[in-house]
Amino acid sequence: AIPGALAASGYAIPEQSAKASGLAGAWCARADDSAANWYNPAALVWLEESEFQAGSNFLFVGDMDLWQTERFVPETLRGLPVLYEEPVPATYSLADSLETPVHLYFSQRLSDRLAWGIGVNTPFGLVSDWRDQPVTFSAATSELITVMVNPNFAYRLGESWALAIGLDYVYAELKEFSAELFTLVPVPTPTGPAFALVELGTRDLTGTGDDLSWNLALHRRGDPWSFGLSYRAELTPSIRGDIRFSNPLLPDSAARGELNLPARATAGAAWDRGDRWAWELDLEWTDWSVFDALRIGFENPFVPDIALREDWNDTLAYRLGVARRWSARHEGRAGALLDERPGRAETLRPSIPDTDRAAVTVGYGFTGADWNVDAYYMALFFTDTLALPGEPGEPGVIGGEYSGFGNVLGVTVTRRF
């Protein structure tokens, strides 16, 4: 279960079901299969049959570029061309990779009023891999893996209302957080002082941690209108690990830190008359302001602690989905979304190359006698976004303009029994 990162959404991965993703994630109010474990657990009580789902996304990472001109190079560095393998203007690109986060869901109705379910998915993740200097001095490779286990119980309050409560257990692994190390050495020349770039090797930070939290959901089923509310509380796994240096003169050390996985609330309204068309509009709030800084402490007193200011903002995402039933077995889907970036221009680092994003989706669903297959495609458009390090600038911020495009595919198979 290895997640990939696309720009925007911070390091969240919103796509957790092929059916929901074909509708651009607008699924909080309809949520009519076992993926409700993630999108709105209260809707589990309306499912008449037990279901098991398994699916995967295919995220094509790498269509992200950092474009730099002279205006983005701080005054203090413009006299040091040795920092750059290519003179500005220059374009630096993420290395290509294919990531395949998975999702598994189970649901079972225990009585007319009580149901339960469980989900296993990868709601947060990060993969970014830069190959060119000076970007690699800030971030060469960043890879974060999370796995969440989420049991839920749903209770029917009346003819139309249902309430759910659940637990969220997350395991997080900072698989690699590396960068190249360098120093500038003054060198006398006949024409005046100059500086030589001396590489000191690489540093590589790894670690693991976990945490436990909770979620609540409310659902109203109606004809033609349905409504949903879902809230997931913040998770803050404590990461314990090591930092290692390729240079034997630099001391390795045990490391510790915290990973901020923000709270999230979603509200949705759906219109479905049960004949041909169904619509849903969702509004999603994410508490990214909890990510105010990246702090990593080291036990070795000769290794300085890391404290990078982030100052992220809370964000809103807007999702609209429409479904068209062609027959009892075939359904077409489409959707659109707008997703705000949480980061600031002054703290936008290549380890998390975040931008606003817009997306359009198409999807298809086939319903068999006791099984379903759902598939979708998403085209992601990343808004051109500036990183402005200023003077003297935040550590690790590479001034320039980020831009890109993303492709995401996904398939989910459902077995009813």
Side-chain angles (χ1 to χ4, degrees):
I2 301 177
L6 294 176
S9 301
Y11 38 87
I13 305 176
E15 291 72 41
Q16 297 297 330
S17 156
K19 186 174 185 179
S21 297
L23 298 160
W27 192 238
C28 183
R30 289 182 68 202
D32 60 4
D33 63 18
S34 58
N37 275 290
W38 180 252
Y39 291 90
N40 189 330
L44 292 171
V45 78
W46 311 119
L47 304 182
E48 296 183 358
E49 297 179 282
S50 298
E51 290 187 3
F52 174 75
Q53 278 192 2
S56 179
N57 293 316
F58 302 88
L59 290 77
F60 299 88
V61 180
D63 289 329
M64 172 65 68
D65 297 322
L66 171 59
W67 182 67
Q68 188 172 56
T69 63
E70 186 75 16
R71 64 169 288 217
F72 296 120
V73 180
E75 289 285 350
T76 52
L77 299 181
R78 289 183 185 177
L80 304 174
V82 72
L83 282 175
Y84 299 88
E85 289 185 346
E86 302 178 44
V88 292
T91 299
Y92 311 99
S93 300
L94 275 175
D96 294 333
S97 65
L98 172 63
E99 308 299 332
T100 56
V102 301
H103 48 268
L104 306 170
Y105 303 111
F106 174 78
S107 63
Q108 183 181 32
R109 191 171 179 179
L110 302 176
S111 69
D112 287 343
R113 291 190 173 272
L114 184 64
W116 81 285
I118 189 169
V120 180
N121 60 0
T122 56
F124 299 92
L126 175 65
V127 173
S128 61
D129 186 8
W130 301 91
R131 304 290 175 86
D132 301 316
Q133 298 174 356
V135 185
T136 52
F137 295 142
S138 172
T141 302
S142 302
E143 185 170 356
L144 168 68
I145 295 172
T146 66
V147 177
M148 181 175 287
V149 180
N150 170 217
N152 302 287
F153 285 89
Y155 182 75
R156 180 176 173 179
L157 299 175
E159 291 300 317
S160 302
W161 291 90
L163 178 70
I165 187 170
L167 295 176
D168 295 328
Y169 168 79
V170 69
Y171 170 82
E173 179 180 359
L174 191 62
K175 191 171 182 180
E176 188 172 9
F177 190 71
S178 66
E180 293 185 272
L181 304 176
F182 74 98
T183 187
L184 293 172
V185 177
V187 177
T189 68
T191 59
F195 292 85
L197 178 68
V198 177
E199 294 192 39
L200 302 178
T202 61
R203 66 113 172 96
D204 188 8
L205 178 66
T206 61
T208 61
D210 61 0
D211 196 15
L212 183 67
S213 188
W214 54 274
N215 69 83
L216 288 173
L218 184 68
H219 191 265
R220 182 190 182 279
R221 184 177 68 168
D223 182 11
W225 289 97
S226 297
F227 301 94
L229 290 171
S230 177
Y231 177 81
R232 292 185 182 273
E234 176 187 354
L235 290 147
T236 313
S238 296
I239 303 297
R240 300 281 179 172
D242 300 281
I243 186 169
R244 300 186 181 277
F245 298 92
S246 62
N247 189 329
L249 300 178
L250 299 176
D252 297 340
S253 175
R256 65 193 183 280
E258 287 188 344
L259 176 64
N260 300 109
L261 304 179
R264 189 185 72 175
T266 306
W271 180 89
D272 186 355
R273 290 180 52 187
D275 47 10
R276 293 292 186 184
W277 293 94
W279 299 78
E280 178 161 341
L281 177 65
D282 284 9
L283 177 65
E284 182 178 272
W285 166 83
T286 305
D287 185 25
W288 281 116
S289 59
V290 298
F291 191 36
D292 62 335
L294 176 63
R295 300 181 181 91
I296 303 172
F298 303 104
E299 293 184 4
N300 192 319
F302 297 102
V303 179
D305 293 347
I306 296 175
L308 300 178
R309 184 171 70 94
E310 298 292 345
D311 285 343
W312 281 17
N313 299 307
D314 294 350
T315 62
L316 292 175
Y318 309 86
R319 306 177 184 277
L320 175 65
V322 57
R324 175 68 161 86
R325 301 183 184 93
W326 303 107
S327 68
R329 293 186 179 273
H330 305 281
E331 182 176 276
R333 302 168 189 136
L337 69 87
L338 295 173
D339 198 352
E340 300 174 342
R341 70 182 179 99
R344 298 175 178 269
E346 297 82 3
T347 60
L348 179 55
R349 297 178 176 86
S351 54
I352 311 177
D354 208 24
T355 77
D356 293 336
R357 70 173 184 169
V360 292
T361 64
V362 293
Y364 167 75
F366 176 82
T367 301
D370 53 11
W371 56 278
N372 296 358
V373 176
D374 298 289
Y376 80 99
Y377 166 74
M378 175 182 289
L380 281 166
F381 304 91
F382 304 139
T383 304
D384 294 351
T385 301
L386 296 180
L388 301 172
E391 295 289 348
E394 290 290 329
V397 177
I398 305 295
E401 184 175 23
Y402 290 89
S403 63
F405 177 80
N407 295 284
V408 187
L409 303 171
V411 177
T412 301
V413 178
T414 304
R415 176 69 163 84
R416 300 187 305 277
F417 51 92

